[in-house]
Structures are given as C-alpha cells and as structure tokens.
C-alpha cells in the first residue's frame, strides 16, 4: 500500500482518537481499517509477528463501543451489555493486553476482567459486569462456562458480541481442542431460537495469526466472507530480519545434546558477534534448561570481571544490585548481578514482573526463557537464539521437533517495533535438520484439528449444559467444529480413506458421534432413550464436566472399591490421565527408592511388593507419583530437586481437583467411607499436609517450615495450643523480634469460626425408626470476609451409608441449626451413627460425633407355630359358632403347651387387616405404637401359647381401605379358611325355611357398593370370651330370625377393633386368615349369633386346653362348599355396611 493511502487516526471519532499514541496506521492496519471499524463482518488475518495485529483488535473493540455513542457524540456506556471475549494461548499475553487496555479504555468506564490461573478472585457477577473478558481457552474459560447453567456461568453468553482469537494457530496444539470447543459452543448457542434477539445471534469473530498457511479453512469454520480474509507476507514485517542457522554434530542422546549447546552459546561468541551488545532472548526447551543456560552465561560473565559485556555502566550495576535484593528467587538473585536472568511459568508473579521490567528498561541484557514467552510477551530483543529445535513432548515421552509455527513465533520476538529497526535470529540445531530451517520462511505446517482425541469429554460437556439435547444436535455440534472442516480437506489425517465423497465423510461424522454417545451411556455418564435419540446428563457426567476431568480418569473413579480408603483414593489420583505426562527419569530412581525405604518411618503409605514388603525399586510412573505425594504430605519432603518439585506440585494441584470430584461422586452414591476419605485427601493435597502432620500450623499465613518447626519444638502443634501460647515466647523460640509473635497469633483469624456439634436421639413416632437431631452451634465469629464452607455428613457406619449430607456456609448459617434424621432401628445388636462436620479448606479443625443405637425391646413373645408367624387375638364373648352335625371335642395336650398341635380348631388366628398389596413403597413411615397396642401385646405375652410376631416395619404400615378392598381381600382369604367340625345342638335345629328367610333379609338390607374411597373406622378393643366355670354343658341357642341377627350385628359393630390397632405380622398373606365368616352353607349348617353370653354344657371325659387358657375363644367356621347361585359373603358385606 502506498504511503499516501495510509489511514490517519483522525479518521476515528473524537472520543476514540486518544486510544492510539501515533498519528497514522501502518500499511497492514490501513488495509484492514475499513473492514475492522466500518463493518461487522467476520475476519481472518494472517500476518508476520510484529506487524501490528493488536491494533486490529482495538479497532474492532472501538467499533463495538461506537454503538454507545449518542447522536450528540457523547459516550453513554451500559456495563456488560455488549461483551468482548479475548482468547489467547498464554497467560503472559493475556496480562499484557489487560494492562494495555485498562490504561487505554479504563477512563471510559470499560471494565476488563482476567480469567486465568493467576486470577481466582472473581465470581459470576464480575463476569456479567465485565465489558472485556481476557482469558485462556483451556481450563479457565471452558471450565467456567461448562457447568455454568446452574451457577449462572452461561448467563452472560447472550451478551457476547465480539470474539477475538489471538494466535489462532493454537488449534494445531493439543490445547487447541478447548479453543475449538469454545468457538463451537458459541456458534451453537447463537443459533438457538432463544437467542434471536440477543447480540450473540450476530456475534463477530476476528482471528489473527502469523503462521496460517490454510487461511481458507479457518475462514470456512468462522463463516468469514471473502472480503474478510486478509493475507500478508514478509514484506509487511516492519524490520529487516536476518536468520542464521548453525548445525551441530548430535550427541549420544538428546539430553547430552542440549547440554553441549549451552557451551556454544558463549564459547563460540554467538552473543558477542550477533547481539551487538543489545538485548537478547535465549529460548530453551525446558525450565531447567533455561536456568542452567542463565547459570552458564552468568559464570562466564563473572570471569570477565569489569569487562563484563552485559554491563554497560555503573548506574546499570546499581539498579541490578537493588533489583536482586527484592527478588524472591535465590538463584535469580546471583544471576541478575551480571545482567543475566531467566523467565518461565514457574516464577512467582512478583518475580515475573520484576524480570520483565528490567528487560524492558535494558538493564537485563540476556534473558533465558522457555517457548511460552514466544506467545506474545512484548519485550524488546534485538537477537533471538533458539537453543535446539527440539523439545520434550510430555505426551509421547520423547524429544520431538518444534512445529514450524512455534519456530516462527520465536523468530517474531526479534527486532520488534518500535524498539529496533533490524533483528537477528540464530537457530541452533542438528546438521541433518539445518536445511529445513534455512528454508524456514518458505512456509509452515498446516493447521489441523486436535478435537478428535478428546471429543468424548467435550461432547459430554455440551450434553451437561443442555446445548445438545438429542443426537441430531450432537451431530450438528460436530459440524460446527474445525474438525469437520479439516476432515473434508485432509481425511487421511483423521483415519478416513482418501477420495471419499462429502456424503461418506458426513456419515463418518455421524458414526463417530453415535459411538461417543454410546460410550458415555455405557459408563452411565448420560442417559439415552431406547432409540438412543434423547440425551440427558447423569451425575457422573456432570461431575466429569464440572471438574474438567478426562474420561478415563472418571472411569477410574467409578471403579473405586466400596470401602475406598485414603490409599485407594491416592492410587486413583496417581493413575489419572491429567498427570500422565509426568515420566520416571533414570536419575530420579535412587532418591525415590531411598524415600520409599522410609528408615525414619515418615511415610503413611509405601509401595509394596508381591509379598507385602516394601518394594526396593521404583519402576513405574504411577509408583513415582505415589511416593512423591506421600513424601510431600509429610510436610517436610526429602525431594528438593527442581523437576521433582514441579512434578509434586502437579500431582497436588490436579490431585486436589480429582479428589473433590471423588468426594461428590461418593456422596452421590451414598458411600460414607469413600466420601470421607476423599474429602480428607483433597484437603491434604491442597495444604500439602496429612491430617496428623506435626506441621499443621503451616496452613496459616506467615508460617513456613522454619517457623512451624520452631513452634513444634516448644510444643505448639495445633491451633488451640497456638492460641494459648505467649507471643513473647514465640519470638524467643523463632528468633524474631517484636511484634512477630502478635502477628503469628493474629494469623489464627484466618481460620473459620469454631462450631460445636451435638447428636441426640429423641422419641420417634414411627415404628422401627430412630430419630436423631444433629445441632450445630457457632461458638465464635470470623472477622474475615472470606467465606468458609463445610460438609455435614451423617452416616450409618455398619452399612457404610450416608443418610444425610448438607454443605453449609460456616459464617452464615442460623445458629443453632438443627437437622432431624430418621434412621432404621437395628433388628439386632447395635448401629453406630456418625456425624462429621468437615471443613473444605483447613485440616485439623473438623468436628466428629457419634451415637449408638440399640435394638428396640418389644414386650411380646415370639414363637414359631407350624412354620408360620401368627398372633393370637381375643374374640368377642357373645359370638358362638355351632355346627349341629359334629361333636366338639378339643384335642389338645396339656403337657406340652408349646408344641404345635395338628388340630385346626385349637388356634384362633388374628384377622389380617393388611388388605392392600404387600409390595408397598419402602419410604412409607412405620406406624407408631400407641398405648392400646402396648397393653394388648403385654396381654398376649402373658399367654404361654401366644403366636409369633415379626418385627418388620415396612410390612406394618396402616393402609387406607375401602369396602371394595375389604371384600376383595376376604374373598381371597376365604379360599384357605379351615372348616370347623360340626358341633351338635339340642335346641332349635335350623330348617330350610329359616335359611331362606335369613338370606332374603340379608339381600334386601345389603347396601350397594360404590367406587369412592371410605375409611374403615372400627371401634377399639375386643371383649374376651367369657367362658363358664361349668364346662361340658350344652350351649343355648335361639331361633335365628332376620330381626335378631341384624340387632346383634348393630350391637357388635361397636366392639370391633380399630384397624390401626391390629397388625398383620405374617410374612405370607395366605397364612394369616380373616376367619370371620358368618354363614357356613354346607347342607343345613347355620351360624347362630346369640346376643347374650352362653354357658357351654359339660361333657364327660373332656379337658379344657391349657394352650388357650382363660382366653380361649370359639373358632369361626367357613363353608366347605357354596350352594349354586348363593353368595356366601353377602352376610359379611351386611356386617360391614353398618360400620
């Protein structure tokens, strides 16, 4: 573009001109000015690093903010209504943009929010109010929006108007799957009908990169029109770049080759010859390599004395001396003095900003760093040295070549405007690969999708968010991805035969989608209907999505043993996919073997061999991680090597997240031991301490290992002992000055408030249940504004069953707070109910209580009679059953009252009022025993021949019955009723006319049944049969008529027992009979109901059965056969019609 066609900053509206410190845009910016600021089209821009692409982002932001301009030219802003999402591959680049945009846009009230691992102090409200959200794709933005429907995380999606993607070539990296999932999610939600009227429906995408050869593929994915695709070559680079490639003879292994290259840095005068005493960046493949390179350079510079090439003046020397004193890294302090430093992701934010400031000012001449700095830190560097073109691939466990895009990113750090007008790049590689990098600027690798290996996790996340409710939407989501675009262009890279048509590729996408859905369904992550069409999330799938876990890791959690111990949980953490990149190095084995041998007895768990003895040799990655975790959790680890420390930190950070997921999974499964041990492991990994460690005070701010050991020497190991300690004595023991002791005691204020917990058993109205009341009382208040959370868990220890769980805010619950829990009473022995209040963050302050529940003692005898469980009930005194054709001769042995008798007449069965189905819901409450029941059971216990009683609570529930259910049950029972032997009578034998008269009157007076429900309200108590003291007398009877029969029924209705007082205890309904038939229709047999007590006549050589005692009742008879056309139950129906 000619100079006359450059766009001026004055072309912007007046309020926006102050955003830029220059007067004219450069050629690239001028070319894209109209598309960025005067339109809303999607754009993809490919340009060299350092050509000014950041300005294009700012132009698009200003285009969005221009919608807040009033007609009078005033800027009227409404917070959070139009959001910009800036996605960058590195935290460093995010923080650089955050500082720059806060400075430029902060005066207008634009709120910028950082969402990275370095910033945890945000909530959903902050996201909703933010105008610009700057984030990294993996973990942070993806995880925040994954489970956001419940917590409001997705509520801000409708306000997204602009998505800025920096370094979009990140798609070619394994981390690019998260970026691809985010963009696909935004596209999917924007297409939903609910979003038609929101800014998200018209969201704008702008993607830039220095290394995109297949720009058209990205344009297709982001729906970019032709006028939005911009490609720029090296002619757009603002400074001239000189590239030097040096090939070296390879060593025996890659590790030694890296070591050899460090000697060439200064030995061959590379820095002296090409840096021109200007700033230089040395890219190393590992953090340790960067530290070692800085060490070699500083030692070499030290040998030069005053002629140190990295020190230009005394003022520079003084500034470096002051900076070294404020640096927290001890190794860095010595390197800074010689003008050399290192920069990597392991530095603290304070040290990181210190080093960047020194390098920007030119005080630090040489900075050794890792490739993360290549992702956009805007630091001036005249010379860039790439020390080795290989890096250690953590996934594959071998050294592999850098992607060409990464090499170009490193080269782009050289000669960046406005710092230099020339730049130099030096590439140090092997001889056989030197020619590849000599032609470096000729092209770069294609950007491919990395979504396929982790599509299962991302698909589960979409199902959990309900953005994918069925299989058709799942296939549509796959088509929204960059994976689908590249499958059509390069199918062989995704295991598809070359030359297939678009229809076959689309069918393959559908098969992949259905296969992944089936995998999730098989492992109970999601639910599908019979056709596999509808998709709904299940709790394991929600937990995997919430905690951002790999599919294989979640499978390990779901396969955990029922009685999962802390050791089992720690093994699951060590097998997790999230830390599978950590390798067992040869030089680490000796130290790990020494730690595992544990001569001092420090470790809680060890790696054991086949015979249960401590293993002498560590041989696998999982064993290494298990030993590292145990060593770390002692509080005073022996592994101080930098690489082992980094591995240990990765185990603790990832393991804490995995253990929290395990906790929630076990709570969902109501597994008490698994949940309890997972909570303790999560806290231990977070604090890097076991709960029985002598260094628990390290959890407090301001107390490190030295202070914790000093406090331990004076007997202060717990928070209680520290609160009682003398501040002056603390200062004496620690060797610190006043007021250090006061500060240490003030650190106790960071603890959550003290809470007391009581567990009490109270009277329970439900039969077979025990009621427990758990009461929490807050004993103190915390002055901290930080919220503390705790899990209250109540469980039955013998059953390993959680019966109650609640997560509470310790500062905010109403004190005292009570929770009532019903627990099934033990049938035998005892039950231990444990209540635990487990704080989420701190170790050593949990509260534990327990209660012992004993078996309920019921005052009645249990006996087995005829292999069935029966209970004797007293019968009404006035009801006598007479069979005129049979002699009544009781045949019961008086010698063995407990022995079962073969006679069918000697046992009086209790009526079964269990009229409804036995298969009732288990959740029904048991019926409370009232006083009448207790009196009755006590009376039944006095009888030597009382029938057996079962104590099954679930079968004892009261039922609401109607007349229809009563008679249906009676008909069923009538099939198994025993027939009574005929008893001869001497008075008034019934005639055929009498029978006809009774039946006729019964039919006339029987009420019609209806289908409405009625309560069967029977009056309390039976009157026991009054037996004459003169046995063997004939029984008086009366002539039965319709009038005296129904008069008798009216009287007896008042004495029927309440249905809730009589319980059917029999395990089989057919064994407990409702023996109350009024008519026995065999020939001329008739049941005579006498309204007055009768005295049976004495018969010679007859004994009264001791098994019935004084409460012996006359048995009730049933007919053996029924006459044709006669309903034997009509008389019984008429009985209940009067009730």
């Amino acid at each position: 573009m000619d100079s006359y066609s450059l766009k001026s900053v004055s072309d912007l509206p007046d309020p926006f001109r102050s955003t830029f410190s220059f007067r004219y845009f450069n050629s690239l910016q001028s070319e894209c000015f109209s598309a960025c600021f005067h339109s809303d089209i999607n754009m993809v821009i490919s340009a060299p690093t350092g050509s000014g692409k950041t300005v294009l982002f700012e132009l698009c932001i200003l285009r969005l903010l221009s919608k807040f301009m009033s007609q009078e030219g005033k800027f009227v802003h409404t917070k959070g209504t139009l959001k910009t999402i800036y996605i960058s591959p590195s935290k460093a680049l995010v923080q650089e943009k955050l500082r720059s945009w806060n400075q430029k846009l902060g005066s207008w009230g634009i709120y910028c929010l950082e969402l990275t691992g370095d910033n945890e102090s945000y909530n959903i409200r902050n996201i909703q109010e933010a105008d610009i959200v700057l984030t990294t794709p993996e973990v942070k933005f993806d995880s925040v929006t994954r489970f956001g429907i419940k917590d409001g995380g997705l509520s801000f999606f409708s306000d997204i108007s602009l998505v800025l993607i920096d370094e979009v070539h990140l798609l070619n990296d394994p981390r690019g799957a998260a970026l691809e999932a985010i963009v696909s999610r935004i596209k999917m939600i924007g297409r939903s009908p609910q979003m038609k009227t929101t800014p998200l429906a018209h969201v704008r995408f702008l993607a830039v990169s220095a290394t995109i050869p297949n720009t058209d593929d990205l344009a297709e994915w982001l729906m970019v029109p032709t006028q939005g695709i911009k490609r720029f070559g090296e002619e757009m680079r603002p400074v001239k770049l000189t590239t030097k490639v040096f090939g070296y003879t390879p060593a025996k292994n890659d590790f030694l080759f890296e070591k050899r290259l460090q000697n060439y840095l200064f030995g061959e005068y590379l820095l002296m010859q090409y840096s021109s005493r200007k700033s230089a960046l040395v890219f190393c493949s590992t953090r340790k390599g960067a530290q070692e390179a800085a060490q070699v350079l500083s030692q070499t510079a030290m040998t030069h004395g005053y002629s140190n090439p990295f020190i230009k003046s005394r003022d520079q020397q003084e500034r470096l001396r002051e900076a070294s004193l404020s640096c927290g890294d001890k190794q860095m302090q010595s390197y800074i003095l010689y003008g050399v430093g290192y920069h990597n992701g392991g530095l603290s934010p304070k040290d990181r900003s210190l080093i960047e400031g020194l390098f920007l000012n030119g005080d630090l001449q040489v900075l050794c760093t890792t490739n993360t700095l290549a992702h956009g830190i805007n630091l001036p560097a005249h010379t860039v040295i790439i020390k080795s073109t290989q890096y250690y691939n953590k996934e594959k466990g071998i050294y592999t070549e850098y992607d060409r895009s990464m090499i170009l990113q490193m080269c782009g750090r050289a000669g960046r405007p406005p710092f230099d007008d020339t730049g130099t790049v030096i590439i140090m590689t092997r001889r056989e690969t030197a020619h590849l990098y000599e032609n470096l600027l000729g092209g770069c690798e294609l950007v491919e999708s990395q979504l396929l290996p982790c599509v299962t996790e991302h698909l589960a996340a979409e199902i959990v968010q309900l953005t994918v409710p069925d299989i058709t939407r799942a296939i549509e989501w796959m088509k929204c991805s960059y994976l689908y675009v590249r499958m059509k262009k390069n199918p062989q890279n995704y295991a598809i035969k070359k030359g297939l048509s678009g229809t076959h590729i689309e069918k393959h996408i559908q098969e992949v989608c259905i296969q992944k859905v089936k995998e999730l369904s098989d492992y109970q992550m999601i639910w599908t209907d019979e056709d596999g069409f509808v998709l709904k999330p299940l709790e394991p799938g929600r937990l995997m999505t919430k905690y951002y876990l790999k599919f294989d890791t979640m499978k390990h959690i779901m396969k955990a043993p029922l009685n999962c111990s802390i050791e089992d949980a720690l093994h699951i953490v060590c097998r997790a996919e999230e830390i599978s990149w950590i390798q067992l190095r040869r030089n680490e084995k000796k130290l790990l073997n020494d730690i595992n041998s544990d001569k001092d007895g420090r470790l809680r768990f060890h790696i054991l061999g086949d015979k249960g003895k401590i293993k002498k040799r560590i041989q696998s990655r999982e064993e290494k991680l298990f030993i590292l975790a145990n060593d770390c959790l002692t509080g005073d680890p022996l592994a101080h090597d930098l690489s082992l420390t980094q591995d240990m930190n990765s185990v603790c950070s990832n393991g804490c997240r995995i253990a929290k997921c395990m906790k929630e999974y076990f709570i969902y499964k109501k597994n008490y031991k698994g949940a309890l041990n997972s909570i303790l492991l999560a806290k231990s990994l977070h604090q890097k301490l076991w709960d029985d460690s002598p260094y628990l005070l390290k959890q407090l701010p301001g107390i490190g290992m030295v202070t914790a050991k000093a406090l331990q020497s004076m007997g202060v190991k717990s928070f209680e002992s520290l609160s009682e300690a003398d501040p002056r004595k603390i200062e004496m023991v620690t060797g610190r000055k006043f007021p250090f002791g006061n500060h240490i005691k003030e650190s106790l204020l960071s603890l959550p408030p003290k809470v007391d917990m009581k567990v009490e058993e109270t009277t329970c109205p439900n039969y077979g249940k025990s009621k427990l009341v758990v009461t929490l009382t807050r004993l103190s208040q915390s002055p901290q504004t930080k919220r503390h959370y705790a899990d209250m868990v109540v469980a039955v220890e013998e059953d390993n069953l959680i019966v109650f769980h609640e997560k509470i805010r310790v500062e905010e619950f109403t004190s005292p707070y009570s929770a009532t829990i019903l627990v099934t009473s033990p049938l035998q022995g005892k039950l231990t109910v444990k209540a635990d209040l487990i704080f989420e963050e701190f170790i050593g302050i949990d509260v534990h209580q327990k209660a012992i529940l004993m078996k309920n003692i019921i005052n009645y005898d249990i006996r087995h009679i005829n292999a069935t469980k029966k209970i004797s009930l007293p019968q009404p005194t006035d009801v006598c059953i007479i069979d005129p054709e049979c002699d009544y001769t009781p045949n019961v042995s008086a010698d063995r009252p407990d022995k079962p008798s073969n006679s069918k007449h000697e046992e009086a069965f209790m009526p079964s009022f269990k009229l409804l189905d036995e298969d009732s819901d288990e959740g029904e409450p048991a019926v409370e025993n009232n006083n009448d029941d207790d009196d009755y059971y006590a009376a039944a216990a006095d009888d030597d021949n009382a029938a057996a009683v079962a104590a099954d609570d679930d079968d004892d529930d009261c039922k609401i019955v109607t007349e229809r259910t009563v008679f249906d049950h009676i008909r069923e029972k009538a099939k198994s009723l025993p027939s009574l032997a005929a008893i001869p009578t001497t008075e008034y034998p019934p005639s055929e006319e009498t029978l006809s008269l009774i039946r006729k009157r019964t039919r006339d007076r029987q009420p019609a049944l209806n289908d409405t429900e009625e309560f069967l309200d029977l009056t309390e108590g039976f009157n026991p049969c009054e037996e004459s003291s003169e046995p063997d007398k004939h029984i008086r009877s009366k002539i039965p008529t319709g009038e005296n029969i129904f008069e008798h029924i009216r009287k007896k209705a008042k004495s029927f027992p309440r249905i809730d007082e009589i319980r059917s205890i029999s395990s089989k309904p057919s064994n407990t009979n409702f023996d109350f038939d009024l008519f026995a229709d065999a020939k001329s047999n008739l049941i005579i109901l006498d309204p007055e007590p009768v005295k049976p006549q004495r018969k010679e050589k007859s004994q009264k059965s001791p098994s019935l005692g004084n409460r012996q009742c006359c048995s009730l008879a049933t007919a053996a056969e029924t006459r044709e056309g006669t309903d034997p139950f009509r008389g019984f129906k008429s009985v209940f019609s009067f009730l």
Side-chain angles (χ1 to χ4, degrees), residues 138-140 142-148 150-151 457 461 464 539-551 553-554 557 576 578 653-668 678-679 682 791 805 807 840:
E138 68 280 6
V139 182
K140 268 303 157 193
D142 191 18
S143 62
V144 165
T145 58
R146 270 189 170 193
F147 59 99
K150 181 179 178 181
D151 301 325
E457 292 86 352
V464 168
E539 190 63 21
R542 288 191 182 97
L543 294 177
M544 180 181 73
T545 297
K546 175 180 178 181
Y547 288 100
Y548 215 90
L549 297 186
K550 298 284 188 181
F551 184 47
T553 302
M554 195 65 204
I557 293 175
E578 284 73 11
S653 59
N654 288 282
C656 179
R657 177 164 50 96
I658 296 168
K660 286 181 179 180
C661 180
M662 292 172 63
K663 174 200 80 170
E664 293 202 30
Y665 176 75
F666 284 127
I667 290 175
Y668 159 70
S678 299
I679 296 173
D791 289 281
H805 169 259
K807 190 169 184 177
E840 191 175 64

Side-chain angles (χ1 to χ4, degrees), residues 874-880 1022-1026 1052 1055-1056 1076 1113-1114:
Q875 301 294 341
T877 58
D878 300 352
V879 179
C880 298
F1022 274 130
N1023 294 326
C1025 293
E1026 296 179 2
K1052 300 313 293 180
S1055 60
F1056 273 93
F1076 222 98
C1113 302
C1114 300

Side-chain angles (χ1 to χ4, degrees), residues 92-200:
L93 191 54
V94 166
Q95 291 166 352
E96 179 195 348
K97 292 290 188 294
L98 180 69
R99 290 191 296 266
S100 173
W101 290 346
N102 270 333
Q103 182 180 359
K104 292 180 177 180
L105 308 176
S107 59
W108 301 343
I110 303 300
Y111 175 34
C112 300
L113 176 67
E114 174 191 354
L115 280 185
T116 64
D118 289 353
N119 178 30
E120 298 290 345
S121 58
Y122 63 87
N123 52 39
I124 298 301
R125 184 177 179 181
N126 297 141
I127 300 177
Q128 291 172 345
E129 293 179 351
D131 299 297
I132 303 176
V133 178
L134 302 95
T135 181
T136 51
E138 68 280 6
V139 182
K140 268 303 157 193
F141 190 77
D142 191 18
S143 62
V144 165
T145 58
R146 270 189 170 193
F147 59 99
I149 286 182
K150 181 179 178 181
D151 301 325
L154 284 181
S155 61
F156 69 90
F157 258 54
S158 61
D159 298 327
I160 296 177
S161 302
L162 177 64
V163 177
L164 307 175
I165 306 173
D166 203 354
E167 311 293 356
V168 76
H169 68 273
L170 172 69
L171 289 169
N172 214 14
D173 190 270
R175 299 181 302 161
L179 172 61
E180 193 171 340
I182 289 172
V183 176
S184 300
R185 183 177 308 146
I186 292 174
K187 290 168 63 178
M188 277 285 291
I189 298 176
R191 292 179 181 180
S192 63
Q194 297 87 345
M195 297 292 174
K196 282 186 178 179
T197 59
T198 65
L200 184 64

